[in-house]
Amino acid sequence: MTASLTHRAYGTMPDGTPVQEFTLTQPGIEVKLLNYGGILTSIAVPDRDGNMRNVTLGFDTLEDYIAKSPYFGCITGRYANRIANGKFTLDGIEYTLAINNGPNALHGGIVGLDKRVWAAETDEANCAVRLTYLSPDGEEGYPGSVALTVTYTVSPGALRIDYTATTDKRTVINLTNHAYFNLAGNGAGSIENHHIMLNADRYTPIIDGGAIPTGELAPVAGTPFDFRTSKRIGADIRSSHPQMVYGRGYDHNWVLNREDDTSLVLAAQLHDPTSGRVMEVTTTEPGIQLYTGNFLDATRVGSSGGMYRQGDGLCLETQHFPDSPNQPHFPSTVLNPGDEYRSTTVFSFSVDQESA
Ligand code: GLA
């Protein structure tokens, strides 16, 4: 299998704008993505016997992505995760954002970056697709006209996502990808038997079911949040720990162990003992949200051909901490004119033993 990059017409937006699907292939991996929301529609990787299978949840049509997607595979922003009451203050000006999650702003608002058509450029030499979008001043309430690029690069066994942003006015920014993974395969059932390691001694507890952080960086030791040594996801998922009740399972931000602000560090390792597939997530970000698909409620038929139920996929959203614009002691998400926001996350796939 050699590297290749192809594309096809995927569908048409209600206003007639065409949407493309790009297929990036390298040894041991085939990635498909749209220029609508930067959505990863498929990531196919081999199991320990070499059988390729898509390990992300999704839909088969643009219409389904537009109508009912719970953020499958998309770029989320301008601010991934939540901002309390959809309000924050910069330089004495209070900004009010689009509210779309109880009283709070979630994943960039009602029409966030996940619902925009991005311009796409292909780079065959690097097996990469570069998406660009100019988010106008005031979009979803966010200040500044922000120029965004998201580059998906596929190399043997790995998908790398590089994000950049510049602004003409002081603003906040926090970008991630919201892919749902199931290493046994899309539609293979629950992820409870996957094992996960999270490289974090602390996490950010939430106030209540609204999932806004209390501001505390709490130790994971002795709690269901301790994944410092790889543990079965289902081991504590029915715990009566109040944080688990608030999240309906895992839907929290972990504070990654890192020595500096910029290098790529191992954030998570996910392992499915049945198929042997292993995924490692490395990132330049300070945090990662583990979300165990708690709101998948058997109301959507997906690209697996079947319904998605609670826990049928999990997200590993590399990010700055939720509600950072209102939590001065969290790492800053402020972007100044003249500066460039940069973020990188790599998803690397392997198997737990050599195939026979
Ligand atoms: C994020 C949030 C969850 C949920 C999903 C989308 O991961 O943290 O609470 O909103 O997105 O369903």
Side-chain angles (χ1 to χ4, degrees):
M1 196 169 29
T2 52
S4 74
L5 202 173
T6 60
H7 64 91
R8 66 170 180 124
Y10 187 78
T12 308
M13 295 297 291
D15 71 358
T17 307
V19 171
Q20 305 288 324
E21 184 179 56
F22 297 86
T23 301
L24 295 80
T25 310
Q26 285 272 14
I29 187 166
E30 181 203 66
V31 174
K32 292 177 187 279
L33 66 99
L34 306 180
N35 65 322
Y36 170 73
I39 291 172
L40 291 163
T41 53
S42 173
I43 302 173
V45 292
D47 67 7
R48 67 165 82 83
D49 299 318
N51 302 307
M52 298 289 280
R53 193 151 171 195
N54 172 23
V55 295
T56 57
L57 276 51
F59 294 117
D60 278 332
T61 65
L62 182 61
E63 288 68 31
D64 281 354
Y65 280 110
I66 292 171
K68 56 183 176 189
S69 184
Y71 300 96
F72 282 156
C74 62
I75 300 164
T76 41
R78 293 190 194 187
Y79 198 96
N81 216 304
R82 293 169 179 78
I83 295 182
N85 302 310
K87 286 191 190 302
F88 67 95
T89 301
L90 266 183
D91 300 327
I93 303 167
E94 186 182 69
Y95 293 98
T96 301
L97 305 172
I99 301 299
N100 61 339
N101 189 243
N104 304 318
L106 175 70
H107 294 331
I110 297 161
V111 189
L113 300 179
D114 58 300
K115 297 179 185 69
R116 305 286 175 187
V117 177
W118 296 56
E121 270 169 52
T122 55
D123 173 356
E124 275 82 6
N126 290 307
C127 201
V129 176
R130 182 169 177 265
L131 302 179
T132 55
Y133 176 68
L134 184 66
S135 177
D137 187 16
E139 189 167 72
E140 300 297 293
Y142 289 91
S145 169
V146 173
L148 298 143
T149 74
V150 180
T151 306
Y152 293 87
T153 307
V154 175
S155 61
L159 166 65
R160 175 180 172 123
I161 311 179
D162 291 288
Y163 307 82
T164 71
T166 54
T167 185
D168 63 1
K169 199 188 276 182
R170 224 163 174 238
T171 192
V172 295
I173 189 113
N174 188 28
L175 304 177
T176 193
N177 182 280
H178 205 288
Y180 288 66
F181 294 97
N182 185 326
L183 295 184
N186 171 25
S190 171
I191 47 73
E192 282 188 34
N193 287 326
H194 285 35
H195 289 240
I196 194 166
M197 184 286 294
L198 293 173
N199 179 21
D201 295 340
R202 294 172 297 169
Y203 75 112
T204 52
I206 52 182
I207 298 170
D208 56 22
I212 299 298
T214 60
E216 193 192 350
L217 307 183
V220 295
T223 76
F225 298 87
D226 191 349
F227 288 103
R228 291 174 295 176
T229 305
S230 189
K231 187 172 85 178
R232 196 173 70 85
I233 290 175
D236 294 325
I237 208 166
R238 290 175 182 77
S239 164
S240 62
H241 190 292
Q243 288 294 319
M244 295 298 288
V245 176
Y246 297 154
R248 303 185 180 198
Y250 295 105
D251 190 1
H252 294 77
N253 171 68
W254 273 254
V255 178
L256 294 172
N257 297 330
R258 51 162 58 254
E259 279 166 13
D260 62 52
D261 294 344
T262 50
S263 46
L264 276 172
V265 295
L266 179 66
Q269 189 195 58
L270 186 66
H271 174 215
D272 169 39
T274 311
S275 65
R277 290 189 185 91
V278 174
M279 180 177 81
E280 286 190 345
V281 184
T282 54
T283 187
T284 56
E285 287 296 313
I288 194 166
Q289 185 93 0
L290 166 62
Y291 166 59
T292 45
N294 312 330
F295 297 110
L296 294 177
D297 57 358
T299 54
R300 299 176 189 90
V301 172
S303 49
S304 60
M307 269 193 317
Y308 293 128
R309 299 176 64 85
Q310 196 175 42
D312 279 1
L314 64 84
C315 302
L316 286 165
E317 304 155 58
T318 54
Q319 61 184 2
H320 273 59
F321 307 164
D323 199 34
S324 297
N326 296 307
Q327 309 258 4
H329 60 294
F330 285 178
S332 175
T333 53
V334 172
L335 179 65
N336 292 309
D339 289 347
E340 188 180 46
Y341 164 93
R342 298 182 78 87
S343 175
T344 299
T345 294
V346 183
F347 299 96
S348 309
F349 297 89
S350 58
V351 291
D352 56 7
Q353 62 190 59
E354 290 303 312
S355 35

